[in-house]
């Protein structure tokens, strides 16, 4: 499979090159040259397939012959080392829990898959190292740190906005050591992301073989399709159409869901639910794409002013807004609405959500007003304990701390403070 740059269709690379580069040299995001729907036989028998078998069918066309089948199956099996349960919170409204992995965030899936692909591509290159450079608004850092910990030939450098991630998130990305380094940036997430983008374009850092582990990297993004199929597998027998709401920041998750639909997965409608960082909902309202600096919210992993993956979604619809709006809606919600939703969900079902999932729930409910008779699924993208204070305060509950989290809480934070791109560059050199 070849991937082209969204800035230049003639610039094509292999899967391996796209994974190793992250972003194309012309700053474009890579996009698969072909998207071939999976044959109907697969959908007819999906409920009889294991998650691993489904994932293999879904990803194989995107990897091609660049990773041997047995290795790819091994990578998938190590990636999917946890469950993806659906929990009904009210009639025909389900939470798809993506947080049962090692760092309790959905990003474990993409990070684990990408780390193992990179390790495979590096296996014969004892002389050259890759540096994974990643900006995080919260959960990416922890998932990437955990996914890449101890991977030979890969150094990981994580940039996060000082004071803007939760205590648990900070511990997850600053306490592992080994090949993982955390840089604490005096700024907001967009500053971190801008520095990372600048570093990729900096000729003088070329020898560091920089790559990204944000959802701009295809090996992070593509495996995020898997759990949309797992949800369908569990709900297929209902015979009802599906509406899926993704709490969205950089729009990687929802972009993977839409790609799954292009592979034939019967999802009727997608909702991108955002917090007050509402660049996409505004775009759908008035037709102009006008990014703004990000604002801090209680769903901080979605505090993104200029969502990277939106261009990929536009590519899938050939920039045809009419066709796009048929499949896709986007709504924005305030922090007040989010805490009200947390309380509401808890009251009607006893279910403890966290702020990102609650935003997803709100968007889903709004769309279900139009798609009555459908089954709705919202992604619960992180475990509530990762947003401990806000959840405990809002719901007046005490959450037990899962073992994955407890093990990092006692460890000592190690980070280097930086202020500017020059600091980052000096560090990398
Ligand atoms: C990253 C993240 C999101 C946003 O996902 P995107 O793919 O960037 O849209 C939502 N919720 C949580 C908890 C996250 O960590």
């Amino acid at each position: 499979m070849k991937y082209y740059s969204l800035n230049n269709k003639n610039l094509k690379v292999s899967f391996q090159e796209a994974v190793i580069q992250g972003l194309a040299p012309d700053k474009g995001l890579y996009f698969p040259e072909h998207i071939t729907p999976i044959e109907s036989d697969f959908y007819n028998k999906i409920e009889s397939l294991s998650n691993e078998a489904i994932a293999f069918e879904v990803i194989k066309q995107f990897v091609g012959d660049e990773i041997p089948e047995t290795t790819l199956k091994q990578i998938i099996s190590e990636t999917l080392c946890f469950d993806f349960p659906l929990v009904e919170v009210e009639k025909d409204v389900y939470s798809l829990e993506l947080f049962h992995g090692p760092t309790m965030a959905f990003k474990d899936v993409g990070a684990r898959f990408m780390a193992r692909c990179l390790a495979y591509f590096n296996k014969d290159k004892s002389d050259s190292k890759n540096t994974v450079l990643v900006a995080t608004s919260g959960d990416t850092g922890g998932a990437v740190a955990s996914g890449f910990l101890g991977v030979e030939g890969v150094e990981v450098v994580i940039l996060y906005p000082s004071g803007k991630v939760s205590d648990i998130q900070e511990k997850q990305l600053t306490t592992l050591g080994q090949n993982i380094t955390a840089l604490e940036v005096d700024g907001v997430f967009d500053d971190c992301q801008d520095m990372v983008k600048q570093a990729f374009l900096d000729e003088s850092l070329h020898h560091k073989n920089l790559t990204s582990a944000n959802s701009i990297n295809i090996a992070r993004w593509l495996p995020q399709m898997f759990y949309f199929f797992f949800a369908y597998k569990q709900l297929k027998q209902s015979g009802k159409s599906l509406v899926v709401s993704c709490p969205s920041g950089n729009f990687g998750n929802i972009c993977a869901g839409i790609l799954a639909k292009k592979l034939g997965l019967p999802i009727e409608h997608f909702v991108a639910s955002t917090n007050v960082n509402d660049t996409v909902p505004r775009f759908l309202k008035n037709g102009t794409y006008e990014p703004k600096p990000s604002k801090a919210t209680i769903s901080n992993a979605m505090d993104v002013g200029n969502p990277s993956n939106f261009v990929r979604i536009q590519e899938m619809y050939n920039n045809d807004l009419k066709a796009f709006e048929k499949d896709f809606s986007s709504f924005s919600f305030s922090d007040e609405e989010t805490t009200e939703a947390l309380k509401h969900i808890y009251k009607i079902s006893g279910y403890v959500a966290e702020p990102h999932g609650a935003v997803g729930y709100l968007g889903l409910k709004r769309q279900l007003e139009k798609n009555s008779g459908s089954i709705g699924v919202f992604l619960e993208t992180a475990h509530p304990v990762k947003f401990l204070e806000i959840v405990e305060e809002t719901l007046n509950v005490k959450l037990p701390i899962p073992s994955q989290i407890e093990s990092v809480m006692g460890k000592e934070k190690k980070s280097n403070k930086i202020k500017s791109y020059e600091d980052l560059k000096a560090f990398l050199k």
Side-chain angles (χ1 to χ4, degrees):
M1 170 70 82
K2 291 265 187 258
Y3 291 81
Y4 58 84
S5 162
L6 286 179
N7 287 347
N8 174 6
K9 288 210 167 174
N10 297 318
L11 201 162
K12 285 182 197 162
V13 299
S14 64
F15 176 72
Q16 173 169 351
E17 288 168 304
V19 174
I20 289 177
Q21 290 174 15
L23 202 62
D26 64 358
K27 301 193 206 182
L29 269 67
Y30 281 118
F31 195 83
E33 190 175 23
H34 303 290
I35 299 170
T36 311
I38 307 174
E39 58 207 38
S40 56
D41 189 44
F42 166 76
Y43 293 104
N44 291 339
K45 61 168 197 226
I46 192 167
E47 61 273 35
S48 68
L49 300 176
S50 68
N51 282 357
E52 291 177 21
I54 292 170
F56 179 72
E57 278 309 308
V58 168
I59 205 75
K60 68 179 186 192
Q61 65 174 292
F62 298 98
V63 177
D65 56 8
E66 294 178 53
I67 298 179
E69 188 173 317
T70 46
T71 309
L72 183 57
K73 286 184 170 160
Q74 179 66 30
I75 290 174
I76 288 170
S77 146
E78 289 174 18
T79 300
L80 301 176
C81 60
F82 47 93
D83 294 332
F84 299 83
L86 269 174
V87 180
E88 193 169 26
V89 300
E90 61 188 82
K91 188 172 177 326
D92 287 346
V93 173
Y94 291 83
S95 165
L96 177 60
E97 295 187 346
L98 304 179
F99 57 70
H100 295 276
T103 74
M104 315 207 93
F106 78 86
K107 294 183 172 94
D108 282 327
V109 175
R112 294 174 70 76
F113 185 83
M114 181 185 161
R116 284 158 181 77
C117 289
L118 210 53
Y120 174 77
F121 294 139
N122 264 331
K123 68 182 177 354
D124 304 322
K125 298 190 212 148
S126 53
D127 51 332
S128 75
K129 278 200 167 192
N130 288 109
T131 302
V132 168
L133 190 60
V134 63
T136 184
S137 58
D139 276 345
T140 304
V144 167
S146 155
F148 282 83
L149 184 67
V151 171
E152 295 272 332
V154 183
E155 285 295 324
V156 177
V157 179
I158 301 168
L159 281 73
Y160 73 99
S162 182
K164 297 196 173 57
V165 304
S166 77
D167 287 349
I168 289 174
Q169 287 175 328
E170 186 171 40
K171 286 279 184 186
Q172 286 184 320
L173 57 95
T174 57
T175 60
L176 291 179
Q178 294 186 46
N179 57 332
I180 316 291
T181 309
L183 299 181
E184 188 173 350
V185 175
D186 184 11
V188 295
F189 169 69
D190 295 301
D191 299 319
C192 302
Q193 181 144 287
D194 288 345
M195 284 191 209
V196 166
K197 284 184 181 160
Q198 199 175 340
F200 288 134
L201 301 169
D202 192 330
E203 291 285 331
S204 71
L205 292 173
H206 211 73
H207 63 288
K208 301 295 289 186
N209 295 324
L210 295 181
T211 190
S212 87
N214 287 90
S215 47
I216 58 174
N217 193 304
I218 55 163
R220 243 292 307 272
W221 169 54
L222 295 170
Q224 295 182 176
M225 282 189 289
F226 296 161
Y227 32 78
F228 294 91
F229 287 85
F230 303 162
Y232 174 68
K233 165 184 159 178
Q234 296 175 71
L235 294 170
K236 178 185 164 190
Q237 59 178 15
S238 74
K240 295 184 181 173
S241 64
L242 279 188
V243 175
V244 177
S245 169
C246 304
S248 298
N250 251 330
F251 282 61
N253 232 355
I254 193 155
C255 185
I258 294 171
L259 184 58
K261 185 175 164 79
K262 298 279 169 196
L263 295 184
L265 184 69
I267 292 179
E268 176 84 10
H269 200 85
F270 285 95
V271 186
S273 303
T274 73
N275 57 33
V276 292
N277 294 286
D278 62 349
T279 301
V280 172
R282 273 188 291 113
F283 169 70
L284 287 181
K285 246 187 223 143
N286 61 24
T288 46
Y289 188 82
E290 194 191 359
K292 289 195 179 154
S294 61
K295 298 186 196 96
T297 74
I298 57 169
S299 48
N300 65 26
M302 311 198 294
D303 294 350
V304 182
N306 189 6
S308 307
N309 284 288
F310 196 60
V311 285
R312 281 185 171 137
I313 299 180
Q314 287 176 303
E315 180 76 2
M316 283 190 266
Y317 287 92
N318 291 317
N319 293 303
D320 175 349
L321 199 58
K322 277 270 165 319
F324 178 47
E325 284 178 328
K326 200 171 141 284
D327 292 353
F328 180 98
S329 309
S330 189
F331 307 115
S332 127
F333 301 94
S334 67
D335 280 354
E336 291 70 36
E337 290 170 301
T338 306
T339 49
E340 282 312 308
L342 277 176
K343 286 184 201 159
H344 173 75
I345 297 168
Y346 187 62
K347 190 168 151 217
I348 58 171
S349 64
Y351 187 75
V352 178
E354 55 68 60
H356 305 78
V359 170
Y361 171 84
L362 285 168
L364 179 65
K365 291 291 280 187
R366 188 162 303 170
Q367 187 62 33
L368 286 176
E369 289 166 15
K370 291 181 202 143
N371 294 55
S372 56
S374 293
I375 286 191
V377 174
F378 65 96
L379 308 188
E380 193 30 294
T381 44
H383 191 288
V385 79
K386 298 193 77 176
F387 301 91
L388 194 67
E389 266 175 40
I390 185 83
V391 173
E392 288 192 338
E393 244 167 54
T394 306
L395 300 183
N396 202 8
V397 292
K398 196 95 195 117
L399 298 180
I401 308 286
S403 58
Q404 289 104 309
I405 302 292
E406 195 150 54
S407 65
V408 296
M409 288 312 283
K411 292 196 189 150
E412 191 194 340
K413 163 182 161 181
K414 286 207 183 81
S415 70
N416 301 306
K417 296 208 172 181
I418 66 166
K419 278 201 164 75
S420 64
Y421 179 68
E422 291 311 313
D423 294 346
L424 171 63
K425 194 165 158 175
F427 173 81
L428 289 171
K429 282 187 164 170

